[in-house]
């Protein structure tokens, strides 16, 4: 059995209670699914909900964005812009 995680506004939840469970197929926005090992894999639909809480943001060029949508990594040449507070070597500076 596959488990998924979804976001539901409270107003939609209240409206959904008007329908029987057998009549209701689904509601809300799927933001990710859990693997057999229990890890959560986020979907692209989760970005709208997570973006306001991000410390650093990255903008990709259109070509790199298309490549990312097909499951590839974003290369350094595909970066369009970074937030000003992002350090050059963010991962290395956090380890020290």
């Amino acid at each position: 059995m596959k488990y998924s995680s979804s976001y539901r506004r409270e107003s939609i939840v209240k409206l959904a209670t008007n329908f029987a469970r057998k009549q209701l197929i689904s509601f809300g926005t799927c933001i990710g699914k859990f693997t057999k090992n229990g890890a959560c894999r986020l979907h692209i639909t989760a970005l709208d909900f997570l973006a306001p809480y991000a410390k650093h943001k990255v903008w990709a060029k259109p070509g790199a964005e298309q490549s990312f949508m097909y499951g590839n990594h974003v290369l350094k040449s595909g970066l369009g812009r970074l937030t000003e507070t992002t350090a050059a070597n963010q991962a290395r500076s956090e380890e020290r």
Side-chain angles (χ1 to χ4, degrees):
M1 179 178 203
K2 290 187 178 181
Y3 295 101
S4 63
S5 177
S6 59
Y7 171 78
R8 298 173 180 99
R9 285 187 295 164
E10 189 174 346
S11 60
I12 293 177
V13 173
K14 288 180 181 178
L15 289 172
T17 58
N18 295 328
F19 297 96
R21 284 188 176 218
K22 290 185 178 181
Q23 292 177 329
L24 191 64
I25 296 172
S26 68
F27 68 99
T29 303
C30 182
I31 61 171
K33 291 190 177 180
F34 291 96
T35 63
K36 293 178 182 178
N37 296 335
C40 182
R41 292 198 171 200
L42 295 177
H43 289 196
I44 196 75
T45 54
L47 289 177
D48 293 334
F49 302 105
L50 297 176
Y53 305 106
K55 291 181 182 178
H56 309 290
K57 294 184 182 181
V58 176
W59 286 265
K61 293 178 181 175
E65 186 177 333
Q66 183 70 25
S67 178
F68 178 74
M69 293 294 289
Y70 284 107
N72 299 318
H73 295 289
V74 177
L75 301 175
K76 191 185 285 188
S77 61
L79 296 178
R81 175 173 100 156
L82 301 166
T83 52
E84 293 177 7
T85 58
T86 305
N89 295 319
Q90 188 69 34
R92 291 183 186 165
S93 63
E94 289 177 359
E95 291 176 356
R96 294 180 187 167

